[in-house]
Amino acid sequence: MNLTFRLFSARWIVQSVVVASLGGGLLLTPMSSTANPASAPLPYQSLHKTEGAVTCASSLCHGAINTWKDSNVLQNEYITWSRQDKHARAYNVLMNEQSKQIAKKLGLTEAAHQAKICLDCHAHNIPAARHGERFTLQDNITCEACHGPAEKWLRPHVSTDATHAKNISAGMYPTNDPQARAKLCLSCHFGNKDKLVTHRIMGAGHPRLSFELENFTALAPRHFAVDHDYSQRKRVWDGVKVWAIGQALAVTATLDILNDDIRGRDGLFPELVLFDCHACHRSMAENRLQTTTPLGVRATPGLVRLNDANMLMLRVIARALEPALGERVSTQTVQLHRAIAGEGDVRQAAKNMQALASQVIKLIESKKVDHPFMTAIAAGLVDDGINGMYRDYAAAEQATLAIASVGQFMAKQGTLKSVAAFNRAWQQLNALLQNDEQFKPNEFTTQLRALRPTLNQ
């Protein structure tokens, strides 16, 4: 039975989709060369020229209507992207009325579809010197915005002796590596030191951002087939590892911005987009102040709380890898909260947490995803919620997406007592996230208790 899921936020809804297979979700692979894929420059940082989406569109290349029987790639990737992928309409969004209003409220001197602050994520916005002859911004988020500018690899990648490692060496971005993909996706779906949907931008009307690597990739139309040939050329990763690595990289990205002297501040204030939205965005007449944060730090009235949703997920992952490591993540999360409250050095606390995130990534990459590990992850996610860890909407949202990813893998392994029962319980859990402003933590906890038995053999 398929697992159906939906992603919600305060201002927008991604329509529900059905995951085609419960076979572990997204399958990713590190590149075959000796270089570290995570250190590759992001496509917009590459010094190579972008040739333009039209260079991939021929029916003899990736623009075939139907898949080719005797090819080791589908050959219809361009058609899938142009017809089904929302990235193919990202630039066009900047022409709608909402975008016009956001630009106006921000006081931009240019229209949204001309402003760098918008184009950096809604298009492949690169310097004019790197434009190939057929490049155009109107191509939206194109093939090369993810796979890297094709100046050096476009022609060699179709030669008879082409290999994945050679393509990467020629400048193709290693999207099949979990760390590299997380770094790429987060650069727009969360932000980095170069570009960020700031609190000011959201205040002007931009939808709240919410991202989780594994499920969001499943939402996008897949334009590759994981078959025997694929596994011969690339190592296959299961979706749970991708989810875990994505969480660790999200923690690192948050703390990179927090520690940045320019990006991490907005005038007198810190960059508020890094903090929990719902700590402030509530009725002044409604007394919802928590006496403590999920990990027991005393909550100070009027103090904005850091959004620690990804850190809570990292805690579950670390604990399943090594219980002592999980405790260190818990301790460091507490220290970070205290430092932000003025009881310590924020920079050092952030660096210490980033070091732990890096350690988790190294361990998860080498870890065999077996039944005991999956049981520890699944139980940890649900039991933490039952114990009150997800009283913030953002944490509940991340936990729900995580449970979906874990459930997919457990179903593939045959370790769910009833996939149908799990699906029903998960869908009821997810329904509680339809409106962040109406989120009720107690109802969420109650539904987690109802879901818990479906994880048992």
Side-chain angles (χ1 to χ4, degrees):
M1 180 175 291
N2 292 330
L3 178 63
T4 306
F5 61 87
R6 185 174 294 178
L7 305 177
F8 298 100
S9 76
R11 300 291 299 277
W12 57 277
I13 298 177
V14 177
Q15 296 300 323
S16 62
V17 300
V18 178
V19 178
S21 168
L22 282 167
L26 173 66
L27 301 172
L28 299 176
T29 299
M31 64 182 180
S32 304
S33 68
T34 57
N36 177 13
S39 65
L42 292 168
Y44 74 88
Q45 297 170 330
S46 172
L47 299 180
H48 298 165
K49 287 187 177 181
T50 294
E51 302 294 341
V54 68
T55 59
C56 307
S58 167
S59 61
L60 298 177
C61 296
H62 297 287
I65 299 297
N66 299 310
T67 59
W68 287 19
K69 292 183 179 180
D70 300 321
S71 173
N72 60 8
V73 295
L74 300 178
Q75 305 291 160
N76 67 345
E77 295 85 356
Y78 176 86
I79 299 299
T80 299
W81 166 78
S82 62
R83 294 183 178 181
Q84 302 177 36
D85 197 323
K86 290 186 177 181
H87 290 97
R89 288 170 285 283
Y91 175 85
N92 302 339
V93 168
L94 298 180
M95 304 290 198
N96 67 24
E97 188 59 34
Q98 183 180 10
S99 296
K100 292 177 182 177
Q101 288 300 314
I102 292 172
K104 181 178 179 180
K105 291 175 182 177
L106 287 172
L108 300 183
T109 57
E110 300 171 297
H113 67 280
Q114 298 171 320
K116 184 179 186 300
I117 193 174
C118 304
L119 290 172
D120 278 351
C121 282
H122 281 265
H124 185 42
N125 192 29
I126 54 175
R130 300 181 207 162
H131 292 186
E133 291 183 1
R134 308 177 83 178
F135 170 88
T136 173
L137 272 178
Q138 288 79 2
D139 279 346
N140 292 270
I141 302 297
T142 66
C143 317
E144 291 169 278
C146 293
H147 294 289
E151 178 187 10
K152 301 296 184 182
W153 59 260
L154 182 62
R155 289 164 184 79
H157 94 289
V158 297
S159 65
T160 55
D161 64 343
T163 65
H164 182 62
K166 286 182 179 180
N167 293 336
I168 298 299
S169 296
M172 180 179 284
Y173 189 75
T175 55
N176 50 345
D177 175 80
Q179 285 198 61
R181 182 179 287 241
K183 182 180 168 185
L184 171 64
C185 296
L186 285 166
S187 70
C188 279
H189 288 276
F190 176 77
N192 59 23
K193 292 184 178 182
D194 295 331
K195 48 188 177 179
L196 179 69
V197 177
T198 64
H199 189 255
R200 290 192 187 199
I201 295 174
M202 287 206 292
H206 193 287
R208 183 182 69 88
L209 293 185
S210 175
F211 180 75
E212 192 275 290
L213 181 64
E214 162 67 352
N215 276 306
F216 269 60
T217 306
L219 279 169
R222 180 180 289 182
H223 53 267
F224 60 94
V226 181
D227 51 18
H228 176 73
D229 172 75
Y230 183 99
S231 62
Q232 289 294 308
R233 292 182 291 117
K234 307 171 182 179
R235 177 184 166 191
V236 175
W237 288 73
D238 67 74
V240 173
K241 284 192 176 185
V242 176
W243 163 73
I245 290 171
Q247 291 296 321
L249 265 294
V251 169
T252 297
T254 298
L255 300 179
D256 273 342
I257 297 170
L258 184 69
N259 260 351
D260 189 286
D261 289 333
I262 298 174
R263 183 62 77 186
R265 300 201 65 79
D266 183 12
L268 180 65
F269 296 97
E271 175 47 69
L272 294 176
V273 78
L274 304 175
F275 292 76
D276 179 47
C277 299
H278 302 91
C280 294
H281 289 276
R282 59 183 176 82
S283 169
M284 292 289 288
E286 183 181 358
N287 185 12
R288 290 194 303 178
L289 176 67
Q290 298 179 30
T291 57
T292 61
T293 68
L295 289 172
V297 181
R298 182 177 62 83
T300 304
L303 185 68
V304 185
R305 296 193 309 275
L306 184 71
N307 181 353
D308 62 359
N310 299 116
M311 296 173 204
L312 294 178
M313 299 300 100
L314 185 70
R315 175 177 179 266
V316 172
I317 298 162
R319 193 172 57 208
L321 290 166
E322 295 177 4
L325 182 60
E327 287 303 311
R328 288 172 61 196
V329 172
S330 297
T331 299
Q332 195 55 51
T333 303
V334 169
Q335 290 180 0
L336 185 59
H337 277 293
R338 287 177 175 165
I340 290 172
E343 301 175 18
D345 185 336
V346 174
R347 290 186 182 277
Q348 190 59 52
K351 289 178 181 178
N352 291 343
M353 177 61 81
Q354 287 179 315
L356 288 175
S358 296
Q359 186 176 348
V360 168
I361 290 173
K362 290 180 181 178
L363 288 174
I364 197 68
E365 285 183 331
S366 61
K367 175 69 177 179
K368 179 181 179 181
V369 181
D370 52 18
H371 179 61
F373 180 68
M374 287 305 307
T375 300
I377 289 282
L381 287 167
V382 177
D383 291 346
D384 273 6
I386 291 173
N387 292 328
M389 289 290 174
Y390 311 141
R391 301 196 67 79
D392 293 330
Y393 179 86
E397 185 179 54
Q398 284 296 325
T400 300
L401 294 172
I403 292 167
S405 292
V406 174
Q408 291 177 46
F409 192 80
M410 294 180 74
K412 175 190 176 183
Q413 299 298 315
T415 58
L416 285 178
K417 181 169 59 177
S418 169
V419 175
F422 172 83
N423 275 348
R424 287 193 298 270
W426 184 88
Q427 288 164 0
Q428 291 172 16
L429 184 73
N430 191 50
L432 300 175
L433 301 177
Q434 291 192 37
N435 189 319
D436 60 338
E437 295 178 358
Q438 297 177 7
F439 173 66
K440 294 179 173 58
N442 290 340
E443 291 182 3
F444 189 80
T445 300
T446 297
Q447 186 54 39
L448 281 173
R449 289 195 182 99
L451 184 145
R452 184 66 170 85
T454 69
L455 298 175
N456 297 331
Q457 282 277 21

